[in-house]
Every structure is written in structure tokens, then in C-alpha cells.
Amino acid sequence: MSRPFDVVEIEEKWQARWLDEGTYDVDNDDPRERYYALTMYPYPSGTAHQGHVRNYTFGDLVVRYQTMLGKAVLSPYGFDSFGLPAENAAIKAGSHPRPYTEARMHELKTSVRRLGAVYDWRREVYSHDPEYIKWSQTIFLAFLKAGLAYRADARVNWCPGCLTVLANEQVLADGTCERSGDLVVRRQLEQWFFRITAYAEELLTGVDDLEWPERVKTMQKNWIGRSEGVEFDLPLAEDRAVALRVFTTRPDTGYGVTYAVVAPEHPLLETLTTDAQRASVDEIVTRATATSEIERTTSSAEGIGLEKRGAFTGGYVVNPFTNESVPVYVADYVLGNYGTGAIMAVPGEDERDFDFASVHGLPVVHTVQPPEGFEDGAYSGDGAHINSGFLDGLDVAAAKVAATTYLVEHARGNPKVNYRLRDWLVSRQRFWGCPIPVVYCETHGIVPVPEEDLPVLAPDDVVMNASGQSPLATHEGFFNTVCPIDGEPARRETDTMDTFTDSGWYYLRFADPFTPTMAFDPAQASKWMPVNQYIGGIEHAILHLLYARFYLKALNDVGMGAGLPREPFQRLFSQGMIRLDGSKMSKSKGNLIAPEAYYPTVGADGLRLFHLFAGPPADDMDWTDQTDEVIEGCARFIDRFYRLWHHYDVNIHGGLDDADAHVRQETHRTIARVTNDLNRWSYNTAVAALMELLNTLSRAARSETGIAAETLEESLDVMAKLLAPMAPHITAELWEERHPDLPSVHLTAWPVADPAMLVETEVTMVVQVNGKVKARLLVAPSISEDEATAAALADLDVIDALKGATPARVVARPPRMVNIVL
RNA sequence: GCCCGGAUGGCGGAAUUGGCAGACGCGGAGGCCUCAAAAGCCUUUACUCGAGAGGGUGUGUGGGUUCGAGUCCCACUCCGGGCACCA
């Protein structure tokens, strides 16, 4: 398309100006009101694609808008530069991940600047910077000292594709790796964990106070998964000194316990199993422990029958309510690492137990009266208790209380809260990550690397290959070291940290990258924290956001965050993703639409405007055959604005007439609309409002009667300001042309609507007859109910529509509407 | 299975509190300008009956509340997302 100006020249000029003049640099002691706007720490994947463009368009709009509102806006940028793609690329190329990563960083940075997004580049950080590594390790050691980091032997998720262990959070529901898609297997390994479960309750309750999208809050809550219940003992029938401890949320159903189940990993399984049952028990244990998690967890759906998923152990335990012995089964549907790894089974009220009982021919006793018409099965709803001794007649809530008291007194029970959340496994058997700064000494065990020896850096002279082992594990120069305590030979830890540890605290480094002796000075960082507006993709709804919340709480508690809030992100906005042919646009899918082709034609401004205009920012967007035409429409809008700015084809008249009054009123109404829309993340309607104003202004200016110069200029200046955060280049250029002596439009105060201009002198009142619109009248906004009724009944169209009938009722809602009911 | 969203013209979408459905844009149709085209500009564009004036219908389906429902309530269909043996 041909443009009335040189779009590339103008955009490059302003991008250079913002960069050279440090227009968006802010100091920590800036006297203005502070505002921290942050887009999520990006992985440097190379040239930006439309998903980035959308993200940074929203983020940049916030930065520029808040700046025009008079605030000191902290807008930092950096790179989540450790991670697997770089390592895998390096393996493929037989090179080191660093040059690959840095080339991709350079590309992404260039892309972001070409979009016109502005940052305080003095604050740039990246995870593989030795300085950043040093502080990441300092934090790790602080967690270690405080007992928040620990090493444990655990059955962990191993991804054969990524050749590393994964956190629970990185394993998808179908048992595959979220990154490579490989089927995750279980391995018994000694690994590092962060004690995130210590914060389960705070992470859960804290969610309520955050201004986040409801669905993200719900996802976090579900992930943490709090459940309240009771833990108590089921004594073994053979030997009452030994007991099977179980956890339940339904102690009230105790009289319905007809069997118990232990997980295949349960320590008492061996004791419970009789010789006669050993073979079938072993079969269950073997299948459950040797197969992958996916087979175990989805086998019910996959058709592996329940009869093959559990077996009788031969052992019995005593139900403390009935004093009767019930059989103990082993089954893979009971998890070893949740609760006590054993359950009381209540087939009458629990669906899983019912299904299992049906297959294994176990008795079903209902302890809650199901409603009338209830079909066969487990009933988990409320109702009066039956078959339940002293609990009979009580509803579920009351029976829970009574049953709990009973268990506390008779079965060594105690109320207990369990969480689904597990501790965060942070070890990764990978090279391109932050090394875990400890050494293993024969005498002293785990010894932290002394502060003065940080950072522990990975050596450069490594050969990246697909052996399945991190080069660190075979690099003698790296892992051979001495114990910091006794100087004896020791072995250095060769695992690195999960890259989510890097993004756990980067927002703090951004707030204060200037204090050389600390990761961040909490007194400085607290000037900006918490982040006022965090912007990112919905894909981080659980992992990153949960980990970052944990980090800030933990940093507070280990003494590194004095004075800082405990929640990092006050407001979160999750933008929708861009789909092409039905699937998410991403580099890994290879279905990218590069923005580069648009810069010489519609420009960054046109592309930005499109992303704002295309639809609600939170919604997913489909990139279709029609999209290019919409993008051109956005550029066309800019061109029309440009021509009107230069008074192309305009009639100027002297004095002010009614048309001027109308334009001025529309101008001020648009200020109010756009401001409101920007505040409520309704960018598509904000753009639409500006398009409407341009239509109004353009029509008035080109009419026979024309427009007053001052009306036109006022309206154009307002439009330039309102448009500035959306299309920053052209507005800066035009503003400078007309106002060479004034500061840049971006440093100009955001316009405020004159309330007097918003007052309407006439409004359209609709007259309905039986709810159907029959007439529209222009009335004063102050019209009374009686006047409105009278005016409506006097209207000729209305009289015609009434056909002489007498109204049964007249509902008047002045000045909007009168409804005449016959 | 459970929990969230969502469904509005040919298309993307708008309607902030129950009060003019379809703003704005894309696409389409017709026109002006031009030797012609591009660009630009103007008119028109929910469906339907009607020559016209004008009428009827219409926000996934069915019911309800209300003078009045895209908006509130009940039931359902379809689509998208999250969780999915957590006792």
C-alpha cells in the first residue's frame, strides 16, 4: 500500500531518539508517583512473532499511557536465557549454547525495538550473566541455610527426551513432558527440592487478594488443592499394636468402611501380605512401580480393568467404629505420596471405592440416606446418616464433627489438612542452567560454596553431545574440587537449577540492578514493588506465577527481602494467544507470521493498532485470510489522520457555529471514552472511539460550511495524545511538526475531558408501544416523567400506532424511554 | 466426570446499571474522480415481505421473571480452556 509519508524513516527516527535520549529511563529516587509495568521475562527464541508483538504492544501501551498520566514508570527488559532449546541447538551444532543464545537475544531485542516498545535498558538482565548467576546462587544458599532447600531421595519424573528430571508441574495430565511431549517415566534419584509446601496455605489464601483473572486464581487454587480431614489409625487385626494410618475427608462415613487400601509403595504392605496372596500383590506392585506414571494414572480410562489394578493382601484391619475386621487391599489408585498412602474405603459414598468394590465383590453399605429415586452407586451428597450408630440422623456436616471427636478419642486421630501441592524439584541434569553451588565432602557431607567463591560458573571448554549426560558430570576440571571446610578432595554438584528459579526473582533485580553488593537492595526494590501491572500469557498461569510467589515469600523469610511485600504481582493481565489454522502460533509449532514484512508497509504503528483493535485483549485471536485487510484498514486510519492533520481537503471558517460545538463535544466525549476503555483493558473499543472521532471531525472539516481552525486544532491535538500510546511514532512525528517548541507528545499530560462538555443538551427518547419502538423524540435530559409521558402521547406516530386505544399503563424512564402498554 | 469461559450480520467484534441490538472495522454492492487504473472520496449493506409508504422476524435451543431480556433465572445443545484417581 502507498502511504502519504515515509513510514520506515519516521519510525526508525523515533526509535533511535527514545533509545539515545533514554526517554523511558527512570531512577529509583524519581519523585513522581511510581508505577511498575512488567511483561513476562521472555525466553530468547529469536526474531519476534505476532504473539510477542501482541504482548509487547499491550505492555508498551501501559508504559506510555501511565507515563502520560504523570507517573515514573519502571519498564525493564531482560531475557530468561537459560534453557533447553539453546542446549539442544548447541548439541545439534556441536557448539556452546552461549553464542547461540546471545544471537537469539540480539534478534529478539532488535524486534522489540523495531516495534517501538520502550524500556529502561540500563536495567537489562539475563539469566546466564555471571552476575545474575552469582545472585541466583546466593539465594539458593540462603534457602539451604533456612531449610527451604533440601536434598532428598525420591521417585521423580524423568523425561527421556529432555534427558532430565522434571518438576511435577512440568508433567502434563496425560503423563507427557510439557516441553518435548515424551512420555515421562519414574526414576528413583537423589535430588534438590524447594520446600514450597511450607507456603501452601499462604499461597492459597493470598490468591484471594490479588487482582488477577478469576480463571488464573482458580487454577492456582486447584493446583494447591487444600483438603481438610482427619488422620487416624486402623489397627491390624493380627497385631493391634501395629496400625495402618489413613487420611479421610469423610470421617462421618466411617461405619461404611468395608475395606481399606494401601498404595503399592506403602511400608506396611509387606507386613500385611500373606503368603497366599504374595504373588498377586507382587504383580500389582511391579506394574505400578515399573510402568510410567501415565499408565498408572490413566489405566481406568484406558481399559485396564480395576480387577488388574488391585489385589487382596490377605491382611485385615479393624474399623474403629464397628470394631469389625475389614480386608486390606493394595491398589494403584491410591497414591503413595499423598496423605498417608493408605485409605479407608467407603464404597457407599465414594465413587472410586464403589467401582473397585463392585469389581472385587466387596460389600457396599450406605451411611448417608440417598435421595428418592437414587440409582445404584456411590452417593456423595448431603443427607441424614443411616447404619451409623451414634451418627444416625445427623447431616454430613454435623456427623463429620462428631466422627472426628470420636476418632480423636478412640483411634489416635487428629484433624489434618492435606495439600495436593508437592515440594518443587529443582535439580536438572542439564548444562545450560544455573549451577547448584554446593560440594559433597566425604567428611562434611553437603557443604555450601562460600560466598566469596560465587558464582560457580560452568566451564566453557565443554563438548555438547547427546550422551544423555550433562557435560558438567564428565568435566573433571569442574567437578573435582576441595571441601571448603577441610580442604580435602570433594566433588562438586553437577546438576543445574530449573530455569523457573531464574524467573522466580528477576522482577526484583529489575527494580534494583544498581547495588553491587546485593542481588537487590530491598530498600530500593520496595520502592517499586509490587509490580503494578504484570502482563503475560495464560500458559504461565500455574508454574511461573506460583514459583515467583513462593520466591518472594521465601526471600522475605530468609532475610533478603526486608520491607518487601509478600506478593510480587498485584495486577495480572493474561492476554489471549494467537492461533493460526486452529493451533497456537509458536516457534515450536513452526506456524509463525513474521512481523518484519509489515514494517515497510503499515509500519509498527499500523501493526500495533491492529493488535489493539482486533478484539478483546484477553481473548484468543485467529489469524485468518482477512487479517491482512484489517491491518491495512488500521494503516488507512493513520493515513486519514495524517491527511487531516495537514488540513488536506479542509474548509476553514471563522467563528464558532453549532457544528463546532458538536465536534468539540464529541472530542471531549472521546477523551472520556478512551480513558475509560484504557483503564478497563478494552483497547479494541478505545481504537473504535478514535475512529469515530476521526469520522466526525473529517466529515465536519470537509463539509460545505466547514469548521473553525481552533476546533480542528483542538480535536487533532487531543487525538494525537490519545493515539500516542497506541501509535507512538506517527503521533510523535506529527506533534513535533506542529509543536516544535513543546515537549514530545509522549511527555505531555494525558488529556482530561471538560465535564461541561460532557453535558448533553438534547437526548433521544424512545417511545415504545407494547415494547416496540414507534417514535424517537429529541428531549431535554432533565425532562420529568410527566413531561415525557405527555410528549410521548402527543407524538403523531405514537397516536397513529395507538389506533385510538387507551393505554393501560405508561412506564416512563426519562429521558431514555417511554413504554406505552395497551 | 468436575470446574471455568463462550455462542450476536458474510467475517472480527460493540452494547459498562435490564431500556434504540449490530458501534467501529473487514468484506460486498453502487457511484464520483480518471483515457484507464491505483489511491482517495460518497452512498448502501441483519434477515424477510412489499413497487413504495410501510410491516414482520431476529442475539445457540426450549421455558420463565419483567411494562421491557443479548443482559436476570431454570433446563438443554454445541464450542474452547483448565483439572482429572489427591481419599
Side-chain angles (χ1 to χ4, degrees):
Chain A
M1 65 188 296
S2 79
R3 309 292 300 274
F5 53 89
D6 188 330
V7 63
V8 172
E9 187 190 316
I10 289 174
E11 295 195 343
E12 287 180 350
K13 166 187 159 184
W14 286 98
Q15 284 154 19
R17 284 266 289 270
W18 296 323
L19 205 53
D20 295 345
E21 294 173 8
T23 313
Y24 289 87
D25 291 355
V26 286
D27 292 330
N28 287 349
D29 57 4
D30 194 296
R32 293 173 290 178
E33 182 187 345
R34 292 188 183 81
Y35 190 94
Y36 190 171
L38 186 63
T39 43
M40 284 181 184
Y41 203 42
Y43 181 79
S45 56
T47 313
H49 57 73
Q50 297 295 346
H52 291 109
V53 171
R54 192 168 195 222
N55 192 206
Y56 295 126
T57 295
F58 296 155
D60 195 52
L61 184 144
V62 170
V63 171
R64 292 177 182 275
Y65 172 55
Q66 294 294 334
T67 301
M68 289 177 76
L69 288 177
K71 298 175 193 170
V73 180
L74 176 58
S75 169
Y77 200 85
F79 298 94
D80 189 12
S81 57
F82 274 135
L84 273 178
E87 184 160 349
N88 291 338
I91 289 171
K92 217 171 175 182
S95 63
H96 192 282
R98 186 184 296 109
Y100 173 87
T101 300
E102 292 181 351
R104 299 292 86 73
M105 281 167 54
H106 179 76
E107 287 169 1
L108 186 51
K109 194 189 284 191
T110 306
S111 290
V112 166
R113 286 178 178 165
R114 186 61 191 85
L115 218 219
V118 284
Y119 302 96
D120 180 350
W121 289 101
R122 301 171 306 163
R123 297 172 185 261
E124 181 179 358
V125 306
Y126 50 95
S127 302
H128 76 280
D129 181 352
E131 189 72 2
Y132 195 83
I133 291 172
K134 176 177 164 183
W135 301 123
S136 287
Q137 293 173 340
T138 304
I139 292 169
F140 178 93
L141 293 178
F143 286 1
L144 179 62
K145 196 175 170 193
L148 291 173
Y150 66 94
R151 193 164 162 81
D153 191 47
R155 267 183 94 232
V156 296
N157 306 297
W158 173 267
C159 172
C162 300
L163 300 168
T164 184
V165 302
L166 303 174
N168 286 321
E169 287 83 348
Q170 290 166 319
V171 183
L172 300 181
D174 65 356
T176 59
C177 168
E178 62 149 5
R179 177 161 285 285
S180 71
D182 286 289
L183 201 60
V184 173
V185 298
R186 300 293 253 174
R187 281 195 181 181
Q188 193 79 22
L189 289 171
E190 188 150 299
Q191 301 284 308
W192 284 98
F193 291 86
F194 280 170
R195 207 177 294 282
I196 191 171
T197 53
Y199 293 88
E201 190 62 33
E202 193 189 344
L203 286 166
L204 185 71
T205 53
V207 166
D208 289 329
D209 300 326
L210 299 172
E211 297 166 59
W212 289 15
E214 273 316 309
R215 60 175 173 157
V216 176
K217 290 164 85 163
T218 307
M219 280 190 230
Q220 295 245 326
K221 286 183 186 173
N222 289 344
W223 188 264
I224 297 164
R226 181 183 204 273
S227 59
E228 261 178 63
V230 187
E231 250 186 43
F232 66 97
D233 281 349
L234 297 171
L236 265 53
E238 296 282 298
D239 175 7
R240 297 209 175 204
V242 183
L244 179 65
R245 198 153 180 85
V246 296
F247 171 72
T248 182
T249 57
R250 291 294 302 273
D252 59 300
T253 62
Y255 279 88
V257 174
T258 55
Y259 63 101
V261 189
V262 297
E265 302 89 343
H266 200 279
L268 271 184
L269 180 57
E270 183 58 32
T271 313
L272 286 160
T273 305
T274 58
D275 291 340
Q277 298 301 320
R278 192 159 309 277
S280 48
V281 167
D282 283 350
E283 201 179 313
I284 301 299
V285 172
T286 306
R287 215 189 65 82
T289 51
T291 58
S292 65
E293 186 77 348
I294 179 180
E295 281 176 64
R296 176 163 169 189
T297 57
T298 61
S299 41
S300 56
E302 298 293 310
I304 297 172
L306 275 169
E307 68 276 7
K308 291 211 176 126
R309 300 182 51 207
F312 180 42
T313 60
Y316 290 84
V317 291
V318 179
N319 177 340
F321 288 93
T322 61
N323 243 337
E324 284 167 15
S325 289
V326 295
V328 180
Y329 279 69
V330 58
D332 66 3
Y333 81 91
V334 172
L335 306 176
N337 59 353
Y338 182 79
T340 60
I343 62 159
M344 60 176 223
V346 191
E349 277 78 34
D350 184 286
E351 206 175 316
R352 293 157 302 181
D353 295 343
F354 180 86
D355 292 344
F356 189 82
S358 307
V359 169
H360 291 270
L362 292 155
V364 176
V365 177
H366 280 286
T367 59
V368 178
Q369 180 63 52
E372 213 149 312
F374 180 77
E375 305 280 328
D376 198 28
Y379 173 68
S380 58
D382 200 0
H385 275 70
I386 51 172
N387 305 321
S388 293
F390 71 97
L391 299 173
D392 277 350
L394 298 176
D395 66 12
V396 169
K400 272 187 185 179
V401 174
T404 302
T405 307
Y406 179 85
L407 288 170
V408 168
E409 288 166 3
H410 297 92
R412 297 204 293 147
N414 55 279
K416 174 92 200 227
V417 176
N418 271 323
Y419 300 91
R420 212 188 76 111
L421 183 71
R422 309 286 200 273
D423 275 339
W424 174 14
L425 170 58
V426 295
S427 304
R428 293 294 179 274
Q429 291 71 51
R430 301 299 305 204
F431 173 76
W432 194 233
C434 179
I436 293 173
V438 298
V439 301
Y440 301 102
C441 167
E442 291 241 339
T443 317
H444 300 96
I446 296 167
V447 183
V449 172
E451 215 170 289
E452 60 271 21
D453 293 343
L454 297 181
V456 174
L457 296 175
D460 280 348
D461 59 332
V462 293
V463 180
M464 303 296 298
N465 59 42
S467 69
Q469 259 198 325
S470 159
L472 294 181
T474 54
H475 193 290
E476 297 193 12
F478 179 74
F479 69 68
N480 280 335
T481 184
V482 293
C483 170
I485 298 171
D486 59 19
E488 293 296 311
R491 187 181 165 93
R492 198 181 282 288
E493 170 67 83
T494 57
D495 283 354
T496 54
M497 284 189 245
D498 183 0
T499 56
F500 280 113
T501 62
D502 302 309
S503 51
W505 69 281
Y506 77 107
Y507 47 89
L508 295 163
R509 181 72 183 170
F510 275 151
D512 179 38
F514 304 123
T515 306
T517 52
M518 285 184 257
F520 52 89
D521 178 347
Q524 294 294 317
S526 57
K527 290 178 177 174
W528 297 106
M529 291 296 291
V531 173
N532 296 85
Q533 181 67 63
Y534 200 33
I535 303 168
I538 188 71
E539 65 272 20
H540 292 112
I542 297 171
L543 302 181
H544 161 62
L545 291 172
L546 194 68
Y547 293 147
R549 294 178 64 214
F550 159 74
Y551 249 82
L552 186 53
K553 293 174 196 308
L555 284 167
N556 261 283
D557 293 343
V558 302
M560 291 179 73
L564 285 171
R566 293 181 73 85
E567 287 288 347
F569 315 121
Q570 189 51 39
R571 292 181 76 197
L572 170 72
F573 185 81
S574 293
Q575 70 189 65
M577 64 183 184
I578 300 179
R579 282 183 307 235
L580 184 66
D581 303 326
S583 62
K584 180 188 175 166
M585 194 180 278
S586 72
K587 186 163 187 181
S588 56
K589 291 226 168 63
N591 58 347
L592 301 180
I593 301 282
E596 273 69 31
Y598 295 95
Y599 293 139
T601 56
V602 301
D605 283 345
L607 194 57
R608 290 169 61 121
L609 215 47
F610 160 74
H611 279 284
L612 297 170
F613 182 63
D619 290 4
D620 287 350
M621 185 191 87
D622 280 301
W623 197 276
T624 68
D625 294 346
Q626 213 187 52
T627 299
D628 277 352
E629 281 155 343
V630 179
I631 294 172
E632 281 176 23
C634 289
R636 201 148 48 225
F637 164 70
I638 292 171
D639 292 350
R640 296 213 295 138
F641 178 61
Y642 180 93
R643 282 193 291 266
L644 198 59
W645 187 273
H646 290 116
H647 295 196
Y648 173 84
D649 198 18
V650 159
N651 278 329
I652 300 291
H653 67 207
L656 295 170
D657 63 13
D658 287 351
D660 289 296
H662 175 67
V663 167
R664 292 203 64 202
Q665 190 168 42
E666 286 304 312
T667 302
H668 283 262
R669 254 183 223 156
T670 304
I671 295 172
R673 277 176 71 183
V674 171
T675 305
N676 186 27
D677 285 348
L678 259 43
N679 291 336
R680 66 185 181 112
W681 283 83
S682 184
Y683 298 152
N684 52 333
T685 54
V687 176
L690 286 167
M691 287 174 168
E692 275 185 70
L693 179 59
L694 182 65
N695 288 344
T696 302
L697 183 62
S698 163
R699 206 162 289 146
R702 291 153 35 143
S703 67
E704 295 274 310
T705 50
I707 193 170
E710 59 180 290
T711 307
L712 180 60
E713 302 302 298
E714 182 199 17
S715 194
L716 286 171
D717 278 358
V718 163
M719 279 193 77
K721 292 179 203 170
L722 297 179
L723 201 51
M726 307 177 184
H729 307 86
I730 192 65
T731 47
E733 180 70 15
L734 292 175
W735 186 265
E736 188 185 52
E737 265 179 39
R738 182 181 298 145
H739 305 293
D741 301 327
L742 293 181
S744 161
V745 68
H746 295 293
L747 301 175
T748 300
W750 187 255
V752 177
D754 178 354
M757 295 294 248
L758 298 178
V759 176
E760 296 173 291
T761 52
E762 270 188 336
V763 296
T764 304
M765 184 174 79
V766 173
V767 184
Q768 300 174 340
V769 174
N770 278 342
K772 291 188 180 170
V773 178
K774 293 295 175 187
R776 293 183 170 89
L777 311 178
L778 281 178
V779 299
S782 58
I783 192 169
S784 72
E785 211 168 302
D786 289 346
E787 288 165 341
T789 304
L793 291 171
D795 185 80
L796 291 178
D797 286 332
V798 174
I799 291 167
D800 197 38
L802 289 176
K803 293 182 181 115
T806 311
R809 184 178 168 188
V810 178
V811 181
R813 290 286 178 277
R816 293 276 161 232
M817 194 241 18
V818 174
N819 189 11
I820 300 164
V821 187
L822 296 180

